[in-house]
Amino acid sequence: MEIDKAIRESDDRRLKTKYNNAINVIQRTLALYSIEEVAFSFNGGKDSTVLLHLLRAGYFLHKGEQSCSNGSLTFPIRTIYFESNSAFPEINSFTYDTASKYVLQLDIIRSDFKSGLEALLNAKPIRAIFLGVRIGDPTAVGQEQFSPSSPGWPPFMRVNPILDWSYRDVWAFILTCKVQYCSLYDQGYTSIGSIHDTLPNALLCVSDSSNNQEKFKPAYKLSDGRLERAGRVKKVSPSICGTAVANVMDNVDSHKSSLLKASAIAVGDEILFGTIEDQLGPSLCKKLHSIGWSVSQIAVLQNDIDSVAEEVERQKASHDMVFVYGGVGPLHSDVTLAGVAKAFGVRLAPDEEFEEYLRQLIGDHCTGDRNEMALLPEGTTELLHHDKLLLPLIKCQNVIILTATNVTELDKEWNCLIELLRSGGLSLMEPYTSKSLTTNLSDLEAAQPLSKLCLEFPDLHIGCYRKSRQGPLIISFEGKDQARIEAAIESLFKKFHRGTFSEVV
């Protein structure tokens, strides 16, 4: 079989692994269902083209060499094509040419997808349908390689052999196996929808100064798979950070006049064991106060998925923003992303956009079936891009996952985050201002007047501490109104003799 032979002779280890896993899914399906009970949804695009040839290879490997007598490549799996008036003519032509070449049993449906599929399943004994869905597609959220159809749809098993394939994987297969594909991909189209919402990808544009015409490189020349859908009219390029951060703080605009509350979660046994000191937490608190946010707590957790999930779930429900740091990476102790995913009730799934970043960063190390570092909470993850960051910040609704391991790295991530917020048109809150006094009063002498002062100025945070048991009592005032702080200090002065307090410079 020419597809299998081309892959076996390839030096691309990653492609071989992806191919073997997809073939395994196909063969498992053909073992579970008879050939009359399976179908294949083909739309003429690159993903379904890859799936067609995987199915051809999988079917003949399943049946054995005796099925390929005299080199015949007939394909017995029923093929479903939803023909639309808004489809590109090139897509229709490629579909019918492909059906003729491989002798596909083509069922053409011209009604809407749901009703057309329902009619077909009522007329045929189809129980499973192969789909060319990949992670990152709008319909991929929540799907596994085998996923029953959604409630309200006719019952069938959705089979997704290329669910974890990336844009790069798709083109590596097509070029390695030298299979034909729709001509639109040679005209700069990288993701094809309808004639109403699809344009050539501007990133592949090559200006021709001789005749002022725009030409486009073929789709497989797109080096950054994250930008596959940049040619969709309604899709904004992920490189435009303003849109990406429009919802970074979901309630900022509606709560401008109120106090915004954040919390932080540190994940790491080494902190609990006392092996290292948590320096990120205090630094993060200072940074949040500098933009007017209140920090209610810092939790330090062990490397345990359930512990992280429970704490994230609790804090995200009671805070405007939750920052999580530590425990991010491919090691057995890196449980943060799994815990966050569990808190949102979703799975970890390959994120093609993040994987592309990793591939550009660490290259050949991104091989094998799954790149563990590219698994992110599915359907809830948004990547916040900044030119100064090698990897984007990871945001899951109101939870931001930081990858910094020291204060210097945190400074860089924080500065980029603030810049993204500002470029997104979000105004930052008024920063906190503070003032501190020292006194030689005992705790008992200061206790009652300070309690009354807190009731008198509930909008201020009035704290007390000593650096040593015998040292002076330090009284701190924090708030967003300097005049209120001065008023509180004046009120405190009136309760004691002049000279009782000194200002900390």
Side-chain angles (χ1 to χ4, degrees):
M1 206 304 169
E2 84 284 1
I3 299 297
D4 189 68
K5 183 175 184 291
I7 298 296
R8 301 299 173 201
E9 293 176 352
S10 170
D11 294 329
D12 191 332
R13 291 181 298 157
R14 176 189 171 93
L15 179 60
K16 286 182 177 179
T17 301
K18 296 287 186 180
Y19 171 79
N20 289 334
N21 290 342
I23 291 297
N24 182 53
V25 171
I26 292 167
Q27 291 183 326
R28 285 168 58 196
T29 305
L30 297 178
L32 289 169
Y33 303 96
S34 68
I35 203 68
E36 292 78 17
E37 294 176 323
V38 296
F40 159 51
S41 180
F42 186 68
N43 63 12
K46 64 185 183 304
D47 297 338
S48 63
T49 297
V50 167
L51 183 54
L52 166 64
H53 295 288
L54 286 171
L55 287 170
R56 292 177 57 238
Y59 173 75
F60 288 109
L61 289 172
H62 175 71
K63 285 297 184 181
E65 294 298 328
Q66 66 272 20
S67 301
C68 303
S69 58
N70 300 322
S72 174
L73 295 178
T74 55
F75 184 69
I77 298 177
R78 185 177 298 278
T79 304
I80 307 169
Y81 178 55
F82 290 86
E83 190 176 85
S84 169
N85 292 330
S86 60
F88 283 88
E90 292 89 343
I91 285 287
N92 284 330
S93 297
F94 175 71
T95 298
Y96 290 118
D97 289 346
T98 301
S100 175
K101 179 176 181 178
Y102 297 107
V103 197
L104 304 183
Q105 300 179 38
L106 203 60
D107 283 303
I108 302 171
I109 298 176
R110 294 184 173 88
S111 58
D112 69 276
F113 190 90
K114 186 175 181 180
S115 59
L117 186 61
E118 191 167 14
L120 179 65
L121 266 59
N122 286 333
K124 309 292 182 181
I126 298 171
R127 297 174 56 202
I129 300 178
F130 290 103
L131 302 171
V133 173
R134 291 191 290 120
I135 293 293
D137 293 345
T139 59
V141 176
Q143 289 204 49
E144 304 285 349
Q145 289 178 326
F146 293 88
S147 291
S149 54
S150 303
W153 283 72
F156 67 95
M157 180 64 71
R158 293 176 290 189
V159 185
N160 304 305
I162 63 169
L163 188 65
D164 65 344
W165 286 41
S166 69
Y167 183 85
R168 170 186 174 273
D169 297 329
V170 167
W171 280 108
F173 178 90
I174 290 174
L175 298 176
T176 297
C177 297
K178 296 181 173 59
V179 297
Q180 290 184 336
Y181 52 87
C182 179
S183 61
L184 289 174
Y185 292 111
D186 284 334
Q187 300 171 35
Y189 291 84
T190 52
S191 176
I192 300 174
S194 75
I195 57 176
H196 305 299
D197 66 4
T198 309
L199 296 171
N201 193 322
L203 296 167
L204 295 174
C205 182
V206 179
S207 299
D208 188 343
S209 56
S210 62
N211 53 16
N212 291 326
Q213 287 186 342
E214 290 183 336
K215 293 184 178 180
F216 293 86
K217 293 181 285 187
Y220 57 81
K221 292 289 188 180
L222 184 68
S223 60
D224 191 342
R226 293 169 292 159
L227 306 176
E228 171 186 0
R229 298 176 68 85
R232 294 296 185 100
V233 173
K234 296 179 183 179
K235 181 72 172 180
V236 179
S237 170
S239 64
I240 301 176
C241 64
T243 300
V245 300
N247 296 315
V248 166
M249 297 185 293
D250 298 289
N251 298 318
V252 169
D253 289 333
S254 60
H255 292 85
K256 282 181 181 177
S257 61
S258 65
L259 185 66
L260 292 170
K261 188 168 65 172
S263 67
I265 299 173
V267 181
D269 288 347
E270 59 277 6
I271 300 175
L272 295 172
F273 290 156
T275 306
I276 65 170
E277 180 182 349
D278 176 23
Q279 296 181 338
L280 298 189
S283 180
L284 186 59
C285 289
K286 291 179 182 178
K287 295 178 187 304
L288 285 164
H289 275 82
S290 73
I291 62 168
W293 282 63
S294 164
V295 182
S296 69
Q297 69 178 108
I298 298 178
V300 182
L301 307 178
Q302 61 182 329
N303 296 330
D304 177 72
I305 293 175
D306 289 337
S307 297
V308 175
E310 290 171 10
E311 191 65 22
V312 170
E313 185 173 11
R314 184 176 68 82
Q315 292 198 26
K316 72 184 180 68
S318 57
H319 293 79
D320 297 286
M321 187 64 68
V322 180
F323 292 86
V324 187
Y325 57 93
V328 179
L331 301 175
H332 70 282
S333 57
D334 294 325
V335 300
T336 295
L337 289 169
V340 172
K342 189 168 185 178
F344 283 97
V346 300
R347 67 174 183 172
L348 283 177
D351 186 287
E352 183 174 341
E353 184 178 354
F354 198 64
E355 186 171 17
E356 195 67 31
Y357 269 106
L358 290 171
R359 187 175 70 83
Q360 294 186 15
L361 182 62
I362 59 180
D364 292 339
H365 294 286
C366 286
T367 58
D369 175 25
R370 299 197 321 175
N371 179 7
E372 297 294 336
M373 293 179 67
L375 299 178
L376 302 179
E378 184 185 28
T380 189
T381 296
E382 182 178 356
L383 299 179
L384 307 181
H385 311 271
H386 194 287
D387 291 341
K388 293 180 180 178
L389 295 177
L390 293 177
L391 291 173
L393 296 169
I394 301 169
K395 172 181 171 292
C396 299
Q397 295 183 19
N398 64 332
V399 178
I400 289 184
I401 301 164
L402 302 170
T403 60
T405 59
N406 57 50
V407 172
T408 301
E409 292 173 358
L410 177 63
D411 289 344
K412 185 175 183 179
E413 289 188 5
W414 178 262
N415 291 337
C416 291
L417 176 62
I418 295 303
E419 190 175 321
L420 289 172
L421 296 180
R422 286 177 175 146
S423 67
L426 297 176
S427 59
L428 304 178
M429 303 297 290
E430 284 294 321
Y432 280 91
T433 185
S434 64
K435 202 167 187 177
S436 295
L437 306 174
T438 64
T439 179
N440 289 321
L441 291 171
S442 69
D443 289 358
L444 288 176
E445 290 174 309
Q448 189 173 21
L450 288 174
S451 295
K452 290 181 179 179
L453 193 67
C454 289
L455 294 174
E456 190 179 345
F457 294 88
D459 55 319
L460 300 181
H461 177 79
I462 303 173
C464 303
Y465 63 96
R466 296 179 189 270
K467 293 184 178 180
S468 67
R469 177 49 55 189
Q470 303 302 321
L473 179 68
I474 302 173
I475 304 170
S476 63
F477 299 81
E478 286 204 15
K480 297 191 175 185
D481 188 336
Q482 184 66 41
R484 289 286 289 168
I485 290 177
E486 297 297 340
I489 291 174
E490 184 63 28
S491 179
L492 180 63
F493 283 173
K494 291 179 180 178
K495 301 179 189 297
F496 294 92
H497 297 296
R498 182 174 297 278
T500 302
F501 301 95
S502 300
E503 184 175 338
V504 177
V505 180

